[in-house]
């Protein structure tokens, strides 16, 4: 696996020069690890952060009666961000495939969900399929971008990772349930239980700077789902889309949506394994520190 793109190699070399004299133990060492962790997370989120910033900026400053509809502006901006990521060598061509897959999977779900009234988008523009503006697929692609980038940046390894075919089976059932629960019994709580059973023993090893930290995968799923929920609140407040309960005025997205995002994390992880098969931690004497 290529750990860094060429641009990231240069950033990494600069960081090591700046931090080469930092202490390897004590409070200062822990502070360095914390700051590097934050910097890598921010770098992994760059696609989603830029897209969210454009969504907010378009709501604040783009005229409602402009010749170019706001939705079309967002589509063009999303394409420009994606092109910039590739041309700037911030993302590899290999990663683009999984991001495209996220785009396709997400757009398929958007078409169905808008048709049954789960949420809706602002009217206007020509760059859309049915009631779904094309920028919506890029929001799922942003999740995919984060997932593949964080995999590389932190050199993620997994102890006791479950059988890949089993995880794919659960992920497929989750995706199907996003559609079928509108017509038959909603089995999302059974699917949550299945995720817990499948991943109960799996630990993720995260390489930050000098240290490797160990975290239960189930906790990692929850933390990422929480951050997506926060971003979702910002996006809906900016009018990128609205839920039925927000039609009379914006209100907070219910915390129950965390369940949906938690289930989405399962699908996301399985899609990423198509590009980066999960690898076990190296058999060395290096001690991993637990985050819980």
């Amino acid at each position: 696996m290529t750990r860094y793109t060429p641009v990231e190699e240069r950033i990494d070399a600069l960081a090591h020069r700046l931090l080469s004299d930092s202490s390897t133990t004590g409070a200062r060492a822990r502070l360095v690890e914390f700051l590097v962790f934050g910097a890598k997370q921010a770098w992994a989120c760059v696609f989603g952060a830029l897209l969210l910033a454009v969504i907010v900026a378009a709501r604040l400053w783009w005229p409602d009666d402009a010749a170019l509809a706001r939705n079309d502006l967002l589509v063009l901006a999303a394409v420009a961000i994606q092109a910039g990521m590739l041309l700037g060598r911030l993302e590899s061509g290999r990663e683009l495939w999984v991001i495209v897959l996220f785009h396709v999977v997400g757009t398929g779900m958007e078409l169905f969900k808008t048709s049954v009234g789960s949420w809706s988008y602002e009217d206007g523009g020509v760059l859309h399929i049915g009631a779904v503006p094309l920028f919506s697929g890029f929001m799922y692609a942003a999740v995919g971008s984060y997932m593949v980038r964080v995999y590389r940046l932190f050199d993620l390894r997994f102890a006791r990772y479950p059988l890949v075919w089993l995880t794919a089976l659960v992920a497929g059932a989750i995706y199907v349930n996003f559609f079928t629960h509108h017509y038959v019994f909603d089995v999302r709580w059974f699917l949550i239980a299945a995720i817990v059973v499948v991943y109960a023993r799996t630990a993720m090893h995260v390489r930050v700077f000098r240290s490797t930290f160990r975290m239960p995968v189930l906790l990692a799923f929850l933390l990422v789902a929480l951050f997506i929920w926060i971003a979702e609140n910002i996006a809906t407040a900016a009018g990128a889309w609205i839920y039925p309960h927000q039609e009379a005025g914006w209100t907070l997205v219910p915390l129950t949506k965390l369940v949906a995002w938690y289930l989405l994390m399962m699908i996301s992880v399985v899609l990423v394994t198509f590009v980066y098969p999960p690898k076990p931690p190296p058999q060395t004497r290096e001690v991993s520190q637990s985050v819980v």
Side-chain angles (χ1 to χ4, degrees):
M1 180 180 71
T2 301
R3 188 175 177 191
Y4 297 130
T5 64
V7 171
E8 291 166 350
E9 289 281 6
R10 293 194 288 271
I11 295 173
D12 184 63
L14 175 61
H16 274 80
R17 286 198 297 272
L18 294 174
L19 299 172
S20 60
D21 296 330
S22 62
S23 173
T24 59
T25 60
R28 184 178 179 184
R30 290 193 291 273
L31 177 61
V32 167
E33 294 290 340
F34 176 76
L35 293 175
V36 172
F37 177 83
K40 285 187 174 182
Q41 284 286 351
W43 186 247
C45 292
V46 65
F47 186 105
L50 289 174
L51 183 58
L52 188 60
V54 171
I55 288 172
V56 173
R59 173 56 58 184
L60 291 176
W61 297 302
W62 195 257
D64 292 338
D65 58 353
L68 179 65
R70 186 181 288 109
N71 284 346
D72 289 349
L73 170 71
L74 294 177
V75 175
L76 297 177
V79 171
I81 293 171
Q82 182 65 82
M85 296 281 288
L86 290 171
L87 295 175
R89 306 181 80 180
L90 305 181
E91 214 163 58
S92 70
R94 186 183 182 189
E95 291 168 358
L96 179 62
W97 285 109
V98 74
I99 291 169
V100 169
L101 190 55
F102 270 81
H103 203 300
V104 172
V105 169
T107 300
M109 188 163 64
E110 287 283 330
L111 288 168
F112 176 79
K113 289 292 190 178
T114 54
S115 71
V116 297
S118 295
W119 55 78
S120 60
Y121 290 93
E122 182 180 47
D123 293 332
V126 296
L127 301 177
H128 58 84
I129 302 175
V132 180
L134 295 182
F135 78 83
S136 67
F138 285 95
M139 294 186 291
Y140 293 90
V143 176
S145 176
Y146 169 80
M147 296 290 291
V148 293
R149 287 163 66 78
V150 80
Y151 199 107
R152 285 191 301 99
L153 294 173
F154 290 98
D155 191 22
L156 297 184
R157 304 298 176 99
F158 301 89
R160 298 179 298 278
Y161 197 86
L163 296 172
V164 173
W165 68 264
L166 182 58
T167 65
L169 184 63
V170 176
I174 290 170
Y175 191 68
V176 169
N177 188 66
F178 278 131
F179 296 85
T180 58
H181 81 84
H182 290 278
Y183 306 108
V184 296
F185 183 67
D186 187 354
V187 297
R188 69 181 61 193
W189 294 110
F190 292 101
L191 293 170
I192 288 288
I195 293 174
V196 172
V197 171
V198 169
Y199 283 99
R201 299 176 62 249
T202 306
M204 182 171 65
H205 290 243
V206 182
R207 181 75 179 180
V208 181
F209 179 50
R210 293 191 178 102
S211 300
T212 299
F213 297 87
R214 187 174 62 251
M215 174 187 293
V217 166
L218 293 174
L219 175 60
F221 287 178
L222 179 60
L223 292 176
V224 176
L226 178 61
F227 279 107
I228 294 175
W229 177 80
I230 293 171
E232 180 182 37
N233 275 283
I234 297 172
T236 54
W241 72 92
I242 59 171
Y243 291 104
H245 75 278
Q246 296 172 326
E247 291 179 357
W250 183 82
T251 57
L252 200 67
V253 176
L255 275 171
T256 53
K257 282 290 290 181
L258 274 175
V259 176
W261 290 119
Y262 197 84
L263 292 170
L264 179 67
M265 288 311 303
M266 180 70 184
I267 299 175
S268 302
V269 168
V270 170
L271 290 178
V272 172
T273 60
F274 293 157
V275 176
Y276 293 139
K279 294 183 178 181
Q283 299 299 316
T284 68
R285 294 185 179 181
E286 181 182 20
V287 177
S288 295
Q289 303 176 54
S290 178
V291 298
V292 293

